[in-house]
Amino acid sequence: MSNDASVMVYIQQDSGKLAEVSLELVSKARELADKLGVGVSAALFGEKVAQEVARLASLGADTVYLYEQPQLKHYTPIPYTKLMIQVIADYKPQIVLYGATTTGRDLAPRVASYLKVGLTADCTDLQIGDHKQGEKEYKNILYQIRPAFGGNIIATIVCPEKKPQMSTVREGVMRMNIPDTSRKATIVKVPASLGSADFPSEIIDRVLEEKTVNLKGANIIVSGGFGVGSREKFQLIRDLAETIGAEVGASRAAVDAGFIGKDHQVGQTGTTVRPKLYIACGISGAIQHRAGMDGSARIIAINTDPEAPILSIAQYGIVGDLFDVIPRMIKAYKARV
Ligand SMILES: Cc1cc2nc3c(=O)[nH]c(=O)nc-3n(C[C@H](O)[C@H](O)[C@H](O)COP(=O)(O)OP(=O)(O)OC[C@H]3O[C@@H](n4cnc5c(N)ncnc54)[C@H](O)[C@@H]3O)c2cc1C
């Protein structure tokens, strides 16, 4: 497979640990590259990160542009931006994808502004297609798809003139491929040299806060919405979750109202989840909420309003008061086990 005009992924790492979103993006890049008939490349910078090349290859990378230096153990903007610009200038990918993480949101706009190319943030889908603009027809360009205008429309954004086309994508939106350990990638050492002038800032101390909520890894999620009514009443959602061994999720309206912390928010500006079972309680099902949970294998929705949009995507819709339905669910479950 050719290295030219590849679909490139910026591989985010910290202390040698790769960000999950980067692995998801390598998988998506494979799909896009297969449609374009080009290779997948990965830009991997850090300290002692070469051992991760096999993992990137197993998910679909053909070429890994590698640069290792001890000061790159943690992300800092200036050296990483310099390396990324150099890799893009030297190897000319047609598409570059970044995770919509704090790091990706810092790095991608710096690169875009330097290269004077477009950048679409927080894409929820990426496709390849043609685009007509007046008399001009562009073949095989990147459709960068994301909710716009407060989620009232799903916009398809194109940047047909300038290359590379660049997007950020949130964690959990793209599916990770099943690793194929027989795949191999070519390592290309980036011919750069970073000197002390490239490291004007120094990390003196880092305080890491452990996440207590693991929505992404949960098989079952019980989520409460604004319909739950208060922080105190939210205990019923926690009770159901605890009974059935689920993680607790929430809509943004519930988070904004102070019923529960932001870490629990599911949706476009929260976490994207794909559990085996998602139980939505007192959630209307606004598009921004559905964007984060409509990939769930099974959805149960409890809502007093038979017209609530969430009921149209639920396999099991219960029209009723959650304060009546949930205690009965808990009782029925406990009676069976
Ligand atoms: C840019 C942007 C990003 C956003 N990102 C997110 C996001 O990441 N996640 C997210 O969730 N939202 C997000 N939103 C907000 C979203 O538009 C909705 O406002 C929000 O999802 C509504 O939450 P809700 O369904 O809990 O509340 P509501 O829409 O108020 O719905 C409450 C529901 O509870 C039902 N109900 C009331 N009482 C009961 C009862 N006793 N028993 C059963 N049902 C009852 C009602 O019938 C109603 O359907 C975003 C909005 C914007 C503009």
Side-chain angles (χ1 to χ4, degrees):
M1 196 76 73
S2 162
N3 282 340
D4 294 340
S6 67
V7 180
M8 179 180 281
V9 181
Y10 164 71
I11 306 297
Q12 184 180 323
Q13 65 81 37
D14 189 72
S15 302
K17 186 173 184 297
L18 305 191
E20 207 149 296
V21 65
S22 301
L23 305 176
E24 293 164 2
L25 288 179
V26 171
S27 305
K28 182 66 186 180
R30 182 72 268 155
E31 179 197 315
L32 299 174
D34 286 345
K35 283 193 186 142
L36 292 165
V38 299
V40 172
S41 61
L44 176 61
F45 319 134
E47 180 201 32
K48 296 189 193 139
V49 284
Q51 70 272 14
E52 295 295 342
V53 169
R55 193 155 168 226
L56 297 173
S58 74
L59 293 169
D62 300 303
T63 309
V64 177
Y65 298 116
L66 180 71
Y67 187 88
E68 292 185 298
Q69 190 162 324
Q71 292 107 307
L72 296 175
K73 183 172 180 185
H74 309 299
Y75 172 81
T76 50
I78 291 172
Y80 272 78
T81 304
K82 185 173 175 180
L83 287 172
M84 204 57 204
I85 289 169
Q86 179 167 340
V87 165
I88 292 172
D90 287 354
Y91 305 109
K92 300 189 175 37
Q94 57 179 299
I95 293 171
V96 183
L97 307 177
Y98 306 78
T101 58
T102 316
T103 300
R105 285 182 176 147
D106 185 77
L107 175 64
R110 289 171 189 270
V111 175
S113 128
Y114 183 88
L115 297 173
K116 298 198 169 38
V117 298
L119 172 67
T120 305
D122 283 354
C123 291
T124 50
D125 195 9
L126 298 167
Q127 299 293 335
I128 300 296
D130 300 337
H131 174 65
K132 215 170 173 212
Q133 204 167 302
E135 293 301 297
K136 269 188 162 177
E137 189 159 3
Y138 300 88
K139 292 271 173 209
N140 288 330
I141 57 166
L142 183 67
Y143 288 175
Q144 304 167 69
I145 300 161
R146 54 154 298 159
F149 295 109
N152 290 316
I153 59 162
I154 299 291
T156 299
I157 298 166
V158 292
C159 301
E161 292 284 351
K162 292 239 184 165
K163 296 279 179 346
Q165 306 157 90
M166 305 212 303
S167 310
T168 69
V169 179
R170 294 168 65 86
E171 183 176 338
V173 172
M174 303 300 175
R175 283 177 191 276
M176 207 186 294
N177 286 345
I178 295 166
D180 172 358
T181 49
S182 68
R183 291 194 90 263
K184 297 279 174 275
T186 308
I187 299 176
V188 176
K189 295 220 167 153
V190 177
S193 71
L194 297 177
S196 55
D198 296 308
F199 295 94
S201 55
E202 186 189 348
I203 297 171
I204 295 163
D205 192 16
R206 281 163 37 103
V207 180
L208 295 179
E209 210 173 281
E210 284 297 325
K211 271 195 165 184
T212 51
V213 188
N214 181 12
L215 285 174
K216 252 196 92 183
N219 279 328
I220 309 174
I221 296 173
V222 180
S223 267
F226 195 67
V228 177
S230 71
R231 190 175 182 87
E232 292 69 38
K233 290 181 184 167
F234 216 88
Q235 186 55 43
L236 188 59
I237 304 296
R238 296 183 188 279
D239 290 346
L240 176 59
E242 198 189 332
T243 306
I244 62 175
E247 188 60 90
V248 178
S251 70
R252 176 157 147 185
V255 170
D256 288 351
F259 300 172
I260 191 163
K262 167 99 174 119
D263 280 0
H264 294 266
Q265 185 180 317
V266 171
Q268 185 191 324
T269 44
T271 304
T272 301
V273 298
R274 282 196 194 87
K276 291 189 177 137
L277 177 62
Y278 189 88
I279 307 179
C281 313
I283 293 177
S284 57
I287 187 160
Q288 297 90 351
H289 187 78
R290 298 201 315 261
M293 49 66 75
D294 60 5
S296 305
R298 283 275 178 279
I299 299 168
I300 298 177
I302 308 166
N303 203 301
T304 42
D305 176 6
E307 303 296 323
I310 193 81
L311 293 169
S312 65
I313 59 161
Q315 282 82 13
Y316 305 99
I318 303 170
V319 177
D321 186 333
L322 66 94
F323 296 102
D324 174 33
V325 176
I326 294 179
R328 288 208 258 164
M329 284 170 94
I330 294 173
K331 200 173 161 197
Y333 187 86
K334 284 184 174 166
R336 288 180 59 139
V337 291

